[in-house]
Amino acid sequence: MADNKNDNGNIAVDNDRKPPIFYAMTNTDLFNQYLTDRMDKMPDRAKAKLNPPVITISREAGCGAEHIAKKLSAKMNALYPNAMPQWRYINKEVMEKAADKLKMRVDEVERNYNQGHREVVEDLFFSLGTNYYNFNDTKVKKTIVNVVRDFAHQGNMIIVGRAGECLTADLDRVLQTTIHAPLEWRAQNLIRRWGIDKKEALEYIDKNDKKRKAFRDFYAKGKALRYDLSIDASSFTEDEIVELLFQTLKLKKYIK
């Protein structure tokens, strides 16, 4: 085929003829496409970082953590009425859902949960009867892990106790907190709230601190616990603690 040359011997260019269009992907385009493809293939749990934030509250007995969680969830829902899902706090719900999954009564799960460590598994085995003869440590542990993490993946959740700080430590957008106070202050707080005497208050604190530590240790596997925020309840009112938690969420850009 002859070349189309002009009078000067150069190849003529047909200005009316449009060159073919080539679409070239830049490195950024390729990277973004790779991330999109990876995210589409990820299981739901791997997408936890996209979920709304979660707060875990570890606490010493007598610090009023559940009152604080209730007030914080109310504050969040008032400020963010269109949040999906709505903010809520959970505590007993963990045991209720675990009981449902294990086909047990809630009081059975609670009793065995309160034992802590190995006793949790041993007592559960005997309480379940012959239909669960192969019920084992792994099944118990995974059930509670899955329940807590299922709640966490819903987002906009305040998890009070239940080893929440251990079971969500690998997730993004989780504010890990702990509330503590001197023993005497906690005893007086219970006396004021419940109208019990000091002996009863101290017995309650001792019993519950021990069982909560045993439960955390069971899931921590010897790892040191890490908290973003540690609050002395004797130094602040409940409303001030709620504000501290709220402002920390904003500082970490978990909420606007």
Side-chain angles (χ1 to χ4, degrees), residues 124-137:
L124 272 172
F125 177 82
F126 289 113
S127 70
L128 291 172
T130 56
N131 290 334
Y132 294 85
Y133 59 88
N134 61 351
F135 202 78
N136 55 43
D137 181 18

Side-chain angles (χ1 to χ4, degrees), residues 57 152 197 244:
I57 301 179
D197 61 34
L244 283 172

Side-chain angles (χ1 to χ4, degrees), residues 5-124:
K5 296 184 179 180
N6 58 22
D7 295 339
N8 297 323
N10 297 322
I11 296 176
V13 177
D14 183 357
N15 292 325
D16 294 328
R17 183 180 178 184
K18 296 181 180 179
I21 299 174
F22 295 96
Y23 293 95
M25 293 186 73
T26 66
N27 289 338
T28 300
D29 293 330
L30 290 170
F31 182 66
N32 288 337
Q33 185 62 50
Y34 168 78
L35 287 181
T36 301
D37 292 342
R38 289 287 295 170
M39 290 300 294
D40 287 341
K41 294 175 183 178
M42 284 182 180
D44 288 342
R45 287 188 174 181
K47 298 181 181 181
K49 64 179 64 178
L50 302 180
N51 287 357
V54 174
I55 304 170
T56 68
I57 301 179
S58 175
R59 77 284 196 219
E60 291 182 324
C63 286
E66 192 157 347
H67 294 88
I68 292 166
K70 183 177 181 179
K71 288 184 176 182
L72 179 59
S73 63
K75 179 183 180 75
M76 298 300 289
N77 288 328
L79 292 174
Y80 305 97
N82 297 321
M84 292 297 291
Q86 285 280 283
W87 279 85
R88 59 183 289 208
Y89 72 95
I90 61 166
N91 184 352
K92 297 293 184 181
E93 291 87 345
V94 171
M95 292 299 110
E96 291 169 356
K97 191 169 182 180
D100 181 62
K101 287 178 176 289
L102 296 170
K103 308 302 180 187
M104 296 173 61
R105 298 193 313 271
V106 174
D107 63 317
E108 289 178 318
V109 178
E110 281 287 353
R111 187 184 74 247
N112 291 290
Y113 156 76
N114 290 341
Q115 295 297 318
H117 207 58
R118 282 297 307 174
E119 289 82 358
V120 172
V121 179
E122 293 167 356
D123 285 358
L124 272 172

